[in-house]
């Protein structure tokens, strides 16, 4: 580039000059398209942010992106809404948080244990175990849902509880695969050997020698698993009633669907959506660098 | 004699790799929690689903009817149910979102990695593009219901009053658009990783020979990206097969003519008691089989050339052994 700039004043052959102009044209096109796509991608969320500050009357009128002054009223309406037997959204958020926190920690720890077990040790079933996990990665979770609902209702008797939402998240093949890949590239066995020579118990070595090395991979997966659980809608809607006291956030959101076409207080609808979406956006923006590097890390295969 | 030889062999192995033998049982202990929780909470329910598919099971007023029907459900699923239509719906919704997704991702990935183009702010674009993927699909779907309502913002901008959510193509395109929005960032990042894995010498050599950016894209980038693009397509297809949150919350029951009713939506309706649970089990088995076929295809795809060769060799050896055992005449070349 710099070379071309330097030369552009002096004698440059016609062809090279044309190439330079073409490059500038391509750059302009690229910027225009990128900005257009970003505007389209952000439009729904900007609309949401603006609309949760408005009252119902101005929401059904003409559209503009000027914030209203109804933010506090909407927030109060949503947080203190316990009319018609509904529990405030706050409780659903709390439930979602508990389920997501427990299941992401357990799933990542169990997956790391498994990856380490298959990486650091040699035993007879090693290859079979790895193949088995690779195969189950292909099975859609919805296929076992019917049996699981049957089991929760008739064997465990835990319908309407949020505990059964955690169990299927314990063994996630994708997390295992990610951590195993990371391990192969950045966990030298010599460190483990050194730990053994120092007299470390195998679990001690895993927890205090291996885990710190795996921290980057485990952190990325913690985020992904937390988000997956927080956003999960399929299983909760099978295992709970919408107005159960243990209902998670997506169930409350789903309950809004009937109100979202404009016959109810739209300010409230937008506010609930905002409460569900904004914390995630904030967390995402803080961790985005980390997350985006993580996605590329996971794509080693292929 | 043989026993002694074997003993000598194992002791030799022990001498070479003392740790691995000594610590072997720990490997099993470490993988145990994963396998126990998988067997109890996922495999057992999977078997239970298969078991249920041979029954008809529904609530009739106060009593629950359970009846063994053998393979009746499997006949019924193709003759009476609408499952083929739902598979078609799911595929169409996936395809409508996937085509723009892969095209835009390819374009962006090639722009972001183009050394001559040198775009600024690509990091921010990646962050914006990936954002919708982190958000709750159900909340995005409900947000779009409000945006595309008859008196909603989209109609207000264009000063129209189109009932998008009561129109077959309106619904299809909105579902496709949401999927496009949610997955383009992810695909772009994957394709970028693929492009950055291509040997830069190829680009340098071609630009010395006077290749244009377009030529480089079609003659180098595309052919070299083929494996990762196939991977993206197949994984996206498996994901698309499980489509549920967005169409389920956008319109009730798939909207007019059930155009947005997917396979999982029908299974879910069956499980939650509005229909025959056994029949929903049969549909689940069908979903399992389709995903399995796609999965095997992916597995074949990812198999490296070395693996293929090894497998071919093994096959040839097996064949030779069989022939030897059969005819007795050993024809080793």
């Amino acid at each position: 580039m710099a070379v071309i700039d330097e030369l552009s004043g002096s004698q440059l052959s016609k062809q090279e000059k044309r190439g330079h102009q073409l490059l500038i044209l391509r750059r302009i096109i690229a910027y225009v398209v990128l900005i257009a796509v970003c505007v389209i991608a952000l439009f729904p969320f900007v609309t949401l942010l603006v609309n949760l500050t408005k009252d119902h009357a101005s929401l059904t009128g003409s559209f503009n992106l000027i914030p209203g002054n109804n933010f506090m009223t909407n927030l109060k309406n949503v947080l203190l809404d316990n009319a018609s037997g509904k529990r405030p959204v706050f409780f659903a958020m709390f439930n979602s948080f508990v389920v997501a926190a427990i299941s992401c920690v357990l799933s990542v720890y169990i997956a790391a244990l498994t990856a380490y077990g298959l990486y650091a040790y040699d035993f007879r079933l090693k290859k079979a175990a790895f193949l088995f996990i690779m195969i189950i990665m292909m099975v859609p979770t919805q296929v076992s849902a019917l049996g699981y609902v049957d089991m929760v209702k008739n064997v465990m008797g835990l319908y309407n509880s949020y505990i059964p939402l955690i169990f299927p998240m314990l063994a996630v093949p994708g997390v295992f695969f990610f951590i195993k890949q990371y391990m192969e590239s950045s966990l030298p066995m010599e460190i483990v050997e050194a730990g053994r020579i120092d007299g470390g118990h195998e679990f001690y070595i895993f927890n205090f020698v291996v885990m710190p090395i795996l921290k980057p991979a485990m952190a990325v997966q913690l985020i992904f698993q937390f988000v997956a659980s927080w956003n999960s809608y399929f299983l909760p809607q099978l295992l709970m009633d919408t107005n159960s006291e243990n209902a998670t956030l997506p169930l409350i959101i789903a309950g809004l669907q009937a109100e979202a076409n404009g016959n109810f207080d739209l300010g409230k609808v937008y506010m609930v959506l905002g409460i569900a979406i904004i914390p995630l956006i904030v967390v995402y923006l803080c961790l985005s660098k980390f997350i985006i590097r993580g996605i590329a890390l996971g794509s080693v295969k292929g | 004699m043989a026993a002694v030889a074997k003993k000598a062999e194992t002791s030799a192995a022990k001498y070479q790799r003392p740790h691995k033998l000594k610590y072997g049982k720990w490997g099993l202990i470490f993988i145990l929690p994963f396998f126990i929780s998988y067997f109890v909470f996922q495999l057992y329910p999977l078997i239970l689903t298969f078991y249920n598919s041979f029954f008809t099971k529904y609530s009739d007023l106060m009593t629950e009817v359970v009846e063994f029907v053998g393979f009746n459900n499997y006949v019924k699923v193709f003759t009476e149910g609408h499952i083929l239509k739902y598979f078609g719906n799911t595929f169409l919704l996936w395809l409508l979102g996937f085509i723009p997704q892969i095209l835009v991702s390819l374009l962006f990935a090639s722009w972001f990695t183009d050394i001559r183009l040198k775009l600024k702010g690509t990091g921010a674009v990646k962050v914006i593009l990936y954002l919708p993927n982190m958000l709750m699909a159900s909340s995005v779907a409900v947000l779009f219901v409000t945006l595309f309502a008859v008196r909603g913002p989209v109609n207000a901008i264009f000063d129209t009053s189109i009932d998008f959510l009561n129109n077959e193509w309106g619904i299809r395109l909105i579902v496709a658009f949401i999927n496009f929005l949610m997955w383009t960032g992810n695909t772009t990042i994957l394709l970028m990783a693929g492009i950055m894995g291509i040997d830069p010498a190829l680009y340098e050599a071609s630009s010395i020979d006077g290749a244009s950016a377009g030529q480089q894209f079609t003659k180098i980038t595309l052919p070299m990206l083929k494996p990762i693009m196939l991977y993206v397509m197949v994984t996206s297809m498996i994901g698309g097969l499980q489509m549920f949150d967005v169409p389920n919350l956008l319109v009730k029951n798939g909207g007019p003519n059930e155009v947005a009713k997917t396979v999982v939506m029908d299974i879910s309706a069956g499980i939650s008691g509005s229909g025959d649970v056994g029949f929903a089990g049969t549909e689940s088995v069908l979903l399992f089989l389709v995903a399995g076929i796609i999965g095997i295809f992916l597995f074949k795809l990812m198999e490296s050339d070395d693996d293929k060769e090894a497998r071919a060799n093994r096959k040839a050896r097996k064949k030779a052994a069989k022939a030897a055992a059969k005819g007795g005449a050993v024809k080793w070349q």
Side-chain angles (χ1 to χ4, degrees):
Chain A
M1 259 312 289
V3 180
I4 295 172
D5 282 340
E6 265 169 42
L7 288 177
S8 62
S10 66
Q11 307 239 314
L12 203 65
S13 77
K14 236 178 192 171
Q15 207 184 0
E16 275 170 327
K17 212 167 195 173
R18 215 181 130 256
H20 187 57
Q21 281 170 345
L22 206 70
L23 190 65
I24 291 175
L25 186 72
R26 280 185 59 219
R27 204 173 285 158
I28 292 169
I29 293 173
Y31 279 126
V32 170
V33 172
L34 285 181
I35 291 169
V37 170
C38 285
V39 168
I40 293 173
L42 283 179
F43 172 74
F45 309 109
V46 173
T47 311
L48 169 69
L49 278 183
V50 173
N51 281 1
L52 56 77
T53 63
K54 295 182 180 178
D55 59 11
H56 184 71
S58 59
L59 280 172
T60 46
S62 66
F63 175 76
N64 58 50
L65 284 175
I66 306 157
N69 48 10
N70 218 32
F71 178 77
M72 286 318 284
T73 321
N74 283 341
L75 190 64
K76 227 184 276 168
N77 279 345
V78 167
L79 288 183
L80 303 176
D81 178 22
N82 46 12
S84 67
K86 268 189 196 161
R87 286 171 67 86
V89 178
F90 180 73
F91 286 90
M93 278 183 88
F94 178 74
N95 291 338
S96 276
F97 184 83
V98 171
V99 173
I102 296 176
S103 52
C104 79
V105 169
L106 285 178
S107 74
V108 172
Y109 187 73
I110 289 178
L113 274 180
T114 317
Y116 182 68
L118 290 182
Y119 172 72
Y121 302 100
D122 251 345
F123 51 96
R124 209 157 11 123
L125 291 171
K126 183 174 163 161
K127 273 206 172 130
F130 185 74
L131 189 69
F132 184 78
I133 300 179
M134 289 289 98
I135 290 171
I136 62 175
M137 207 145 78
M138 291 296 146
V139 180
T141 40
Q142 285 99 334
V143 174
S144 49
L146 187 142
Y148 190 62
V149 172
D150 193 0
M151 183 175 148
V152 168
K153 278 184 181 167
N154 301 328
V155 181
M156 299 198 268
L158 285 174
Y159 187 74
N160 266 341
S161 151
Y162 56 64
I163 297 169
L165 298 181
I166 297 170
F167 294 139
M169 295 280 286
L170 293 183
V172 189
V175 182
F176 156 82
F177 188 67
F178 186 92
I179 295 177
K180 178 98 191 307
Q181 291 249 330
Y182 186 83
M183 222 176 239
E184 270 160 13
S185 66
S186 52
L187 179 68
M189 274 309 281
E190 286 79 10
I191 294 181
V192 178
E193 304 275 342
R196 282 176 187 158
I197 291 167
D198 289 345
H201 185 260
E202 292 301 300
F203 268 110
Y204 182 88
I205 292 174
F206 176 77
N207 285 329
F208 297 99
V209 179
V210 176
M211 283 238 288
I213 296 173
L214 296 182
K215 227 187 254 163
M218 289 176 78
V220 168
Q221 284 305 315
L222 272 179
I223 299 169
F224 282 138
Q225 287 312 109
F226 185 92
V227 171
S229 169
W230 177 270
N231 289 347
S232 152
Y233 168 61
F234 180 72
L235 213 47
Q237 56 102 25
L238 289 175
L239 291 172
M240 286 176 179
D241 294 323
T242 312
N243 43 14
S244 140
E245 62 177 37
N246 287 325
T248 56
L249 200 51
L251 285 179
I252 306 294
I253 302 289
L256 287 177
Q257 200 258 356
E259 308 175 5
N261 55 15
N263 299 326
F264 293 79
D265 185 355
L266 269 176
K268 243 168 78 181
V269 173
Y270 279 115
M271 183 54 88
V272 177
L273 290 174
I275 289 174
I277 285 179
I278 291 167
L280 269 182
I281 294 183
V282 172
V283 174
Y284 168 72
L285 290 181
C286 295
L287 301 173
S288 61
K289 229 179 186 170
F290 205 52
I291 292 172
I292 281 169
R293 210 182 320 139
I295 310 157
L297 259 182
S299 70
V300 187
K301 264 256 149 118
Chain B
M1 257 325 265
V4 174
K6 207 173 178 190
K7 212 172 182 184
E9 204 181 290
T10 48
S11 74
K14 215 175 232 168
Y15 183 70
Q16 276 171 351
R17 309 178 301 171
H19 300 299
K20 290 190 172 166
L21 278 182
K22 200 165 127 201
Y23 291 108
K25 68 164 189 197
W26 282 101
L28 276 177
I29 295 171
F30 274 98
I31 68 170
L32 215 53
F34 185 95
F35 279 86
I36 290 178
S37 45
Y38 183 78
F39 285 146
V40 176
F41 297 116
Q42 289 177 61
L43 190 63
Y44 172 65
L46 185 67
I47 294 166
L48 214 56
T49 305
F50 275 73
Y51 176 76
N52 266 307
S53 74
F54 297 107
F55 288 82
T56 177
K57 216 172 174 184
Y58 55 89
S59 307
D60 191 11
L61 293 172
M62 295 304 277
T63 56
E64 194 175 314
V65 183
V66 181
E67 204 181 314
F68 180 76
V69 290
F71 279 95
N72 259 5
N73 280 339
Y74 287 85
V75 177
K76 225 170 90 185
V77 84
F78 288 111
T79 53
E80 283 174 32
H82 300 285
I83 194 72
L84 293 179
K85 184 189 168 181
Y86 300 147
F87 267 110
N89 286 346
T90 314
F91 183 73
L92 183 61
L93 292 176
W94 168 76
L95 195 69
L96 284 174
F98 183 72
I99 291 172
Q101 175 193 323
I102 195 84
L103 292 179
V104 170
S105 303
L106 254 179
L107 186 67
F108 284 8
S110 67
W111 278 349
F112 291 170
T113 50
D114 194 325
I115 318 162
R116 279 192 293 184
L117 207 54
K118 263 199 195 157
L119 293 177
K120 291 197 180 75
T122 55
V125 176
K126 269 191 275 176
V127 170
I128 291 172
L129 283 181
Y130 193 74
L131 168 73
N133 194 280
M134 298 298 277
L135 303 179
M136 202 181 281
S138 39
S139 62
V140 176
V142 175
L143 177 61
F144 271 74
V145 173
T146 60
L147 293 181
F148 283 91
V150 180
R151 284 187 297 169
V154 173
N155 270 317
I157 289 173
F158 297 107
D159 203 18
T160 52
S161 54
I162 305 165
D163 197 353
F164 292 102
L165 294 167
N166 245 328
N167 178 300
E168 290 185 16
W169 278 101
I171 297 168
R172 283 191 187 118
L173 291 177
I174 293 174
V175 173
F177 181 68
I178 295 176
N179 283 330
F180 164 75
L181 214 56
M182 292 186 78
W183 291 101
T184 301
N186 190 60
T187 312
T188 305
I189 293 166
L190 290 184
L191 291 183
M192 272 181 71
I195 292 178
M196 288 192 286
I198 298 174
D199 187 357
L202 289 175
Y203 291 101
E204 279 164 32
S206 66
S207 58
I208 289 169
D209 290 345
S212 70
Q215 280 172 325
Q216 283 183 336
F217 181 73
T218 51
K219 297 271 154 63
I220 300 175
T221 312
L222 274 186
M224 295 297 277
L225 270 188
K226 212 177 123 197
I228 201 160
M229 273 174 47
L230 278 170
Y231 168 80
V232 165
M233 193 185 89
V234 173
T235 46
S236 162
M237 207 187 245
I238 293 177
L241 204 58
Q242 306 174 33
M243 202 187 295
F244 174 74
D245 294 15
V246 172
N248 192 47
L249 287 178
L250 206 60
V251 278
K252 276 230 161 69
N253 229 350
N257 219 356
E258 294 190 319
V259 286
K261 188 152 181 179
T262 64
V263 181
V264 178
M265 275 168 76
D266 199 39
I267 293 174
S268 163
I271 299 173
S272 47
S274 60
D276 184 345
V277 177
F279 193 66
T282 313
E283 292 178 335
S284 301
V285 173
L286 222 56
L287 178 67
F288 174 82
L289 293 178
V290 173
I293 291 167
I294 299 175
I296 290 170
F297 179 66
L298 177 68
F299 200 68
K300 283 252 153 95
L301 218 75
M302 308 257 290
E303 202 180 37
S304 66
D305 289 335
D306 290 350
D307 291 343
K308 264 183 206 152
E309 207 172 296
R311 211 157 47 106
N313 279 343
R314 217 168 34 237
K315 234 181 204 166
R317 234 180 301 142
K318 231 184 215 165
K319 219 174 177 181
K322 225 183 214 167
K326 216 186 199 171
V330 185
K331 281 183 202 157
W332 278 113
Q333 291 298 318

